[in-house]
Every structure is written in C-alpha cells, then in structure tokens.
C-alpha cells in the first residue's frame, strides 16, 4: 500500500526524520535526544499494531483499530502512512503542521518509505538514516529486545534489506555502534544544531539585514 502526501506550508520549525531498519535503535536514540533537547517536539504516530508490554497509548503510539485508521486515511488525517509487516502506521498531519508553524523543531521516526514521503511533502525536512555498525547486528538486537517472534524478526530483516536500497536519498547517515550509543546521540545532536545554521534557512531578509548592519 502506498502512503499519501500533499504539499504543505512549512513553518519556521525544522523537521527531523530519523529512519532506518527495525533494530537500528531509533526509539532509544530519539528518546535520548529528546532528553538532551527538551524543546524538541516529538510526533506520536498512530498504528494498528497491538501494544507491546509497557507501551502506553498516546506515548509510544496512538493504538487504533484498522477501521479507525482507515477512517483517518479517508479524512486525510495522515501526512504519510504505510503498511509495515501487516500493520498500518501513520504520521498525524495536523500535529506536524501545527508544531512546525508554531516554530518548534520536531522529530519523527517512520520506516524508510514513510521518511521519503515526508521529504516529498516537506522538501526542507532533514532525513537521517540510522544504522548499526554491522548489518548483522540488527538480528541480535531484535532478538535481544524480545518483542517479536522469530518469524516476525525474519520479516523485519527482509524489510531491512530493501530499506537499505534507499540510503542515498537521505541527508545524513548516523552509525549506532555497539556499546557507543552516546556517540550516536552526540552525532544526532550535532546534526540538529548544524542544520539551524544552514544558509538557506536564514531567509533573504535576515541576510540583507546582516549585510547592511
Ligand atoms: P514498531 O512496530 O517496531 O514500533 O515499528 C515498525 C516500523 O514502523 C518501524 O520502522 C517504525 O519506525 C515504523 N513507524 C513508526 N511510526 C510510523 C509512522 O508514522 N509512519 C511510518 N511510515 N512508519 C512508522
């Protein structure tokens, strides 16, 4: 199933999209980054996947039925959505647009196709591909977290292989090395800081002001 996307007005906030295969460490690293940068907002996605032990509705995801998810698709409520491993996942459009227009930086962590859809809707979005130092570590990490069956892990790894083909469409690669997670969080933080200073984000008026000050 293909996701939908429509052109939208981009506000002054920056949109960071952390993607990459399941098991790369998106959840942990994005949580750590949010702890470091409290003003960074996070968009909670909706999903039809059942909640895992410890996952709270409205925190990890908004857990909804397939009927409800489809109703939201019909009302154009998602900026993008995808079917992943038999379940639907979607980024809520209103929250993203409102947060950026209000001037807050925002982070989302969809799978790779969702990340590319977001880039089409928001060409200014910053796409970060997160990877372990060795692709073979993905399997170990998925096994370690004990949230999926062996069959589900095998399917996630198949999807991961396909996802790797899109790496060149991203703006940055961050390597989440074994036992060096703090380094990956530093790298993510460096990207969020550097992106602020990109010349095209300044706007012609601010540059003119600097030129004539
Ligand atoms: P999980 O079931 O492990 O929580 O998520 C499965 C995959 O769906 C992960 O790669 C995750 O990043 C992705 N995902 C989570 N939320 C969204 C979303 O809103 N849109 C898309 N396209 N993917 C999502």
């Amino acid at each position: 199933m293909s996701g939908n996307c429509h052109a939208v007005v981009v506000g002054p906030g920056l949109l960071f999209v952390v993607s990459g295969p399941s098991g790369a460490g998106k959840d942990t690293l994005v949580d750590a980054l949010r702890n470091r940068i409290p003003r960074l907002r996070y968009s909670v996605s909706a999903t039809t996947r059942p909640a895992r032990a410890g996952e709270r509705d409205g925190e990890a995801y908004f857990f909804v039925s397939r009927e409800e998810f489809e109703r939201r698709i019909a009302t154009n409520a998602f900026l993008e959505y995808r079917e992943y491993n038999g379940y639907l996942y979607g980024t809520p459009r209103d929250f993203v647009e409102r947060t950026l227009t209000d001037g807050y930086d925002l982070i989302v962590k969809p799978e790779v196709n969702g990340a590319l859809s977001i880039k089409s809707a928001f060409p200014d979005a910053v796409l970060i591909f997160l990877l372990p130092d060795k692709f073979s570590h993905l399997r170990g990490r998925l096994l370690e977290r004990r949230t999926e069956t062996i069959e589900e892990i095998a399917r996630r790894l198949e999807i991961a292989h396909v996802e790797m083909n899109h790496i060149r469409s991203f703006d940055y690669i961050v390597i989440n090395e074994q036992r060096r997670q703090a380094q990956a969080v530093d790298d993510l933080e460096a990207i969020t800081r550097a992106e602020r200073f990109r010349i095209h984000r300044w706007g012609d008026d601010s540059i003119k002001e600097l030129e004539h000050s």
Side-chain angles (χ1 to χ4, degrees), residues 90-163:
T91 309
R93 174 189 302 282
D94 273 3
F95 180 79
V96 170
E97 290 185 356
R98 210 170 349 104
T99 306
L100 295 175
T101 312
D102 288 350
Y104 291 99
D105 292 349
L106 178 65
I107 195 156
V108 294
K109 47 178 167 69
E111 47 65 66
V112 169
N113 291 301
L116 298 177
S117 289
I118 292 177
K119 187 81 174 178
S120 323
F122 292 85
D124 232 25
V126 180
L127 262 56
I128 305 167
F129 202 100
L130 188 65
L131 269 180
D133 40 337
K134 284 210 179 79
F135 189 86
S136 56
H137 290 161
L138 287 177
R139 185 164 191 276
R141 287 193 192 176
L142 289 171
L143 283 169
E144 245 167 55
R145 73 183 193 194
R146 293 165 186 269
T147 49
E148 284 88 19
T149 62
I150 298 287
E151 294 75 28
E152 274 164 356
I153 290 176
R155 280 201 297 275
R156 280 175 184 250
L157 290 173
E158 271 171 37
I159 297 172
H161 272 289
V162 179
E163 288 184 317

Side-chain angles (χ1 to χ4, degrees), residues 26 45 49 52 61 80 84 89-91 109-111 156:
K26 295 190 288 274
S45 291
R49 165 169 83 56
R52 295 176 188 143
Y61 286 105
E80 63 73 37
Y84 177 94
Y89 296 79
T91 309
K109 47 178 167 69
E111 47 65 66
R156 280 175 184 250

Side-chain angles (χ1 to χ4, degrees), residues 22 27 42 45-57 59-66 69 82-90 109 145 147-148 152 156:
S22 180
D27 294 353
Y42 170 70
S45 291
T47 185
T48 60
R49 165 169 83 56
R52 295 176 188 143
E55 281 185 336
R56 293 231 292 263
D57 188 40
E59 265 176 30
Y61 286 105
F62 295 107
F63 295 100
V64 299
S65 65
R66 188 166 267 263
F69 198 103
R82 277 291 186 289
E83 181 137 10
Y84 177 94
N85 205 14
Y87 299 111
L88 291 161
Y89 296 79
K109 47 178 167 69
R145 73 183 193 194
T147 49
E148 284 88 19
E152 274 164 356
R156 280 175 184 250

